[in-house]
């Protein structure tokens, strides 16, 4: 069964304290790993798509990396406005990106 | 572009009532999907569509119906609401090979 597991469930950081979020997946024939950010009361907002092991993408203080079994979302010198729930998702084996399987998310809190 | 829009934002139903959650997109996306989000469960796929007239079931389809008569609209129908359908519902759309873009959600409570 295709699965996506995120850890930790929750993370509290001081402003400026860098850290990483983990997303491990079990799916054969990966057709993309997607990272989203979700603020309370809002829909998920797209951040990155990674397709192959070794690929990296960056956006402001965020950098996403991908290996054959997991992805990391590195947050460098976070600010309070980075506080949100971060979700990762993959399409199931043989499926398209319209059928995403999501992890349960990591709730990030950045304390001033 | 408004992107993906959903109405209503909030809804309270009584057990057994029916209703339709509306979803529309103005990006000419072929693919549209419905998810529900529950505490501790993450987002789960209800139904999806790969084009007008084509729909299929996702992980949790029971109690829900969909149809896709136009590219822009993908309504989700609850036939006879149950308390277990209390959730936040998200609609998403995408083009082939592209990421999904999500709407703002509908928060549904079934009493």
């Amino acid at each position: 069964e295709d699965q996506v597991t995120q850890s930790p469930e929750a993370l509290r950081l001081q402003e400026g304290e860098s850290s990483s979020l983990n997303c491990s997946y079990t799916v054969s024939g990966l057709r993309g790993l997607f990272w989203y950010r979700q603020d309370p009361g809002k829909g998920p907002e797209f951040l990155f798509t990674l397709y192959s092991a070794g690929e990296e993408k960056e956006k402001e203080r965020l950098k996403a990396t991908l290996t054959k079994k997991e992805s990391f979302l590195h947050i460098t010198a976070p600010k309070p406005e980075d506080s949100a729930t971060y979700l990762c998702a993959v399409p199931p084996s043989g499926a398209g990106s319209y059928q995403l399987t999501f992890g349960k998310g990591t709730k990030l809190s950045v304390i001033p | 572009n408004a992107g993906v829009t959903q109405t209503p934002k909030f809804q309270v139903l009584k057990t057994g009532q029916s209703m339709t959650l509306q979803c529309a997109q103005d990006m000419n996306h072929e693919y549209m999907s419905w998810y529900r989000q529950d505490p501790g469960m993450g987002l789960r796929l209800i139904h999806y569509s790969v084009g007008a007239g084509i729909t299929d079931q996702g992980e949790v389809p029971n109690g829900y119906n969909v149809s896709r008569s136009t590219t822009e609209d993908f309504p989700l129908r609850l036939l006879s609401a149950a308390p277990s359908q209390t959730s936040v519902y998200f609609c998403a759309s995408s083009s082939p090979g592209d990421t999904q873009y999500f709407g703002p959600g509908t928060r549904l409570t079934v009493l």
Side-chain angles (χ1 to χ4, degrees):
Chain A
E1 179 182 321
D2 300 325
Q3 286 193 332
V4 180
T5 304
Q6 292 188 246
S7 61
E9 289 185 15
L11 182 63
R12 285 171 62 93
L13 299 174
Q14 289 294 129
E15 184 172 0
E17 178 187 2
S18 301
S19 188
S20 297
L21 283 54
N22 177 264
C23 172
S24 63
Y25 60 92
T26 57
V27 62
S28 57
L30 184 69
R31 297 186 177 191
L33 184 141
F34 300 82
W35 281 100
Y36 288 85
R37 169 191 170 124
Q38 187 175 26
D39 293 301
K42 298 194 174 181
E45 176 188 346
F46 171 70
L47 292 174
F48 306 109
T49 308
L50 302 168
Y51 289 101
S52 56
E55 188 175 359
E56 299 183 352
K57 289 193 176 175
E58 290 188 61
K59 180 180 180 180
E60 296 181 359
R61 294 174 293 281
L62 300 176
K63 184 170 78 171
T65 62
L66 182 66
T67 72
K68 288 188 176 180
K69 293 189 175 183
E70 57 192 351
S71 177
F72 293 93
L73 186 65
H74 308 277
I75 303 175
T76 302
K79 297 182 177 182
E81 52 262 42
D82 295 320
S83 297
T85 296
Y86 291 86
L87 305 171
C88 74
V90 300
S93 301
S97 62
Y98 46 82
Q99 285 182 267
L100 294 179
T101 297
F102 279 85
K104 296 180 181 180
T106 294
K107 184 176 181 180
L108 174 66
S109 301
V110 182
I111 313 303
Chain B
N1 283 356
V4 180
T5 57
Q6 293 184 237
T7 56
K9 290 184 70 67
F10 302 93
Q11 184 70 50
V12 179
L13 291 177
K14 294 182 179 179
T15 296
Q17 289 184 316
S18 62
M19 79 159 293
T20 299
L21 280 62
Q22 301 292 343
C23 174
Q25 53 93 7
D26 62 359
M27 297 174 282
N28 202 32
H29 285 167
E30 287 185 44
Y31 303 153
M32 296 186 76
S33 305
W34 276 103
Y35 295 84
R36 60 178 289 174
Q37 187 173 38
D38 303 292
M41 296 296 294
L43 281 150
R44 292 180 292 168
L45 183 66
I46 305 171
H47 285 284
Y48 64 93
S49 170
V50 297
I54 306 170
T55 64
D56 207 343
Q57 298 180 352
E59 179 186 355
V60 288
N62 292 342
Y64 307 97
N65 270 4
V66 293
S67 60
R68 182 109 179 263
S69 56
T70 68
T71 299
E72 295 78 20
D73 301 299
F74 191 41
L76 179 71
R77 298 180 186 84
L78 280 70
L79 307 173
S80 177
S84 61
Q85 294 179 304
T86 293
S87 188
V88 182
Y89 292 85
F90 291 101
C91 179
S93 72
S94 61
S95 292
D98 195 8
T99 189
Q100 285 192 316
Y101 295 91
F102 283 79
T106 293
R107 185 175 295 273
L108 176 67
T109 301
V110 183
L111 303 175

